[in-house]
């Protein structure tokens, strides 16, 4: 599969790139600085500006799917969605956030009393992105929310999937970037959540 990965040098993006190449996909890594992408077979690095809708659409053309792994406060969801739509690619996977997940019935994580104030702008922007996707009728989108703690770790392949509720254990709510990447590429290869948000955690 030919996959355009926007934000391939971020924490999640690096692991998604590794998982895609591990499984033999051909990846166009779209980043601000192509020199930061390690040369490897099956990966082509391209410089892209996520705020330049027209040029981004040109970079996305001809791919089977687009994955965006970007900070919500460092991008414009409307321009991203419009660029994907204009490119003619219909499959669109988004690295989501945990803030819009339900921490308790009727209570979003972002609204929980102990939610860190410094993360609220990013979490709120992620919720806006998800709402925009839910109104989207042309794209076959999926928004994959990580657990509350989204951190470096091991690639174990052992995790749980959920829908709109935050996944927790006695140790808290977490998922490694590495296992998150497995869940996302699984969804890419065998879509099980078309036009839905789902979540992954331990």
């Amino acid at each position: 599969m030919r996959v355009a990965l926007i934000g391939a040098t971020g924490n999640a993006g690096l692991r998604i790139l590794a998982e895609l190449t591990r499984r033999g996909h051909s990846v166009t890594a779209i980043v601000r600085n192509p020199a930061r992408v390690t040369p490897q077979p099956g990966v082509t690095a391209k410089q892209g500006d996520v705020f330049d809708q027209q040029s981004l659409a040109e970079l996305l053309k001809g791919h089977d799917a687009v994955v965006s792994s970007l900070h919500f406060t460092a991008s414009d969801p409307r321009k991203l969605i419009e660029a994907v739509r204009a490119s003619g690619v219909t499959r669109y996977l988004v690295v989501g956030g945990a803030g819009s997940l339900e921490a308790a019935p009727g209570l979003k994580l972002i609204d929980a009393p102990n939610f860190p104030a410094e993360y609220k702008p990013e979490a709120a922007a992620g919720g806006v992105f998800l709402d925009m996707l839910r109104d989207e009728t042309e794209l076959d989108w999926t928004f994959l929310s990580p657990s509350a703690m989204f951190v470096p770790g091991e690639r174990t392949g052992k995790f749980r999937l959920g829908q709109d509720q935050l996944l927790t254990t006695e140790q808290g709510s977490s998922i490694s970037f590495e296992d998150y990447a497995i869940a996302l590429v699984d969804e890419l290869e065998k879509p099980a959540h078309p036009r839905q948000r789902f979540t992954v955690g331990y």
Side-chain angles (χ1 to χ4, degrees):
M1 193 179 296
R2 295 194 65 212
V3 181
L5 174 57
I6 308 171
T9 54
N11 282 322
L14 279 171
R15 276 71 169 194
I16 294 167
L17 178 61
E19 190 65 29
L20 287 167
T21 55
R22 178 193 296 267
R23 302 197 200 184
H25 296 287
S26 175
V27 184
T28 301
I30 299 172
V31 293
R32 283 179 294 184
N33 182 5
R36 291 184 59 200
V37 178
T38 302
Q40 55 188 301
V43 177
T44 302
K46 296 280 188 180
Q47 184 173 18
D49 180 352
V50 296
F51 292 102
D52 187 336
Q53 186 178 311
Q54 185 173 352
S55 67
L56 183 60
E58 287 297 319
L59 287 173
L60 301 179
K61 283 182 179 178
H63 292 87
D64 300 304
V66 175
V67 177
S68 66
S69 179
L70 299 164
H71 285 292
F72 299 118
T73 52
S75 57
D76 182 333
R78 189 172 303 281
K79 287 186 177 181
L80 287 170
I81 291 169
E82 290 289 349
V84 178
R85 209 189 276 145
S87 74
V89 181
T90 57
R91 187 79 177 103
Y92 183 37
L93 290 89
V94 177
V95 175
S100 56
L101 291 168
E102 282 192 353
L107 177 68
K108 291 182 180 179
L109 182 62
I110 189 176
D111 297 322
N114 59 347
F115 191 86
E118 61 268 29
Y119 296 142
K120 282 200 171 186
E122 179 71 10
V128 170
F129 201 154
L130 177 58
D131 287 341
M132 290 179 64
L133 287 172
R134 283 174 166 161
D135 290 334
E136 174 60 39
T137 57
E138 294 181 36
L139 298 179
D140 179 16
W141 62 269
T142 298
F143 187 97
L144 177 51
S145 288
S147 290
M149 297 298 294
F150 194 22
V151 293
E154 296 181 12
R155 183 185 186 275
T156 70
K158 298 176 182 178
F159 48 79
R160 295 181 293 152
L161 302 180
Q163 289 292 327
D164 292 314
Q165 290 74 41
L166 183 71
L167 296 173
T168 62
T169 68
E170 291 180 356
Q171 287 74 43
S173 174
S174 67
I175 188 69
S176 70
F177 294 124
E178 291 79 3
D179 279 341
Y180 177 96
I182 294 176
L184 186 136
V185 180
D186 284 350
E187 179 68 24
L188 174 68
E189 294 178 339
K190 296 181 179 179
H193 302 87
R195 296 186 178 180
Q196 295 178 47
R197 180 261 291 284
F198 74 110
T199 185
V200 56
Y202 296 127

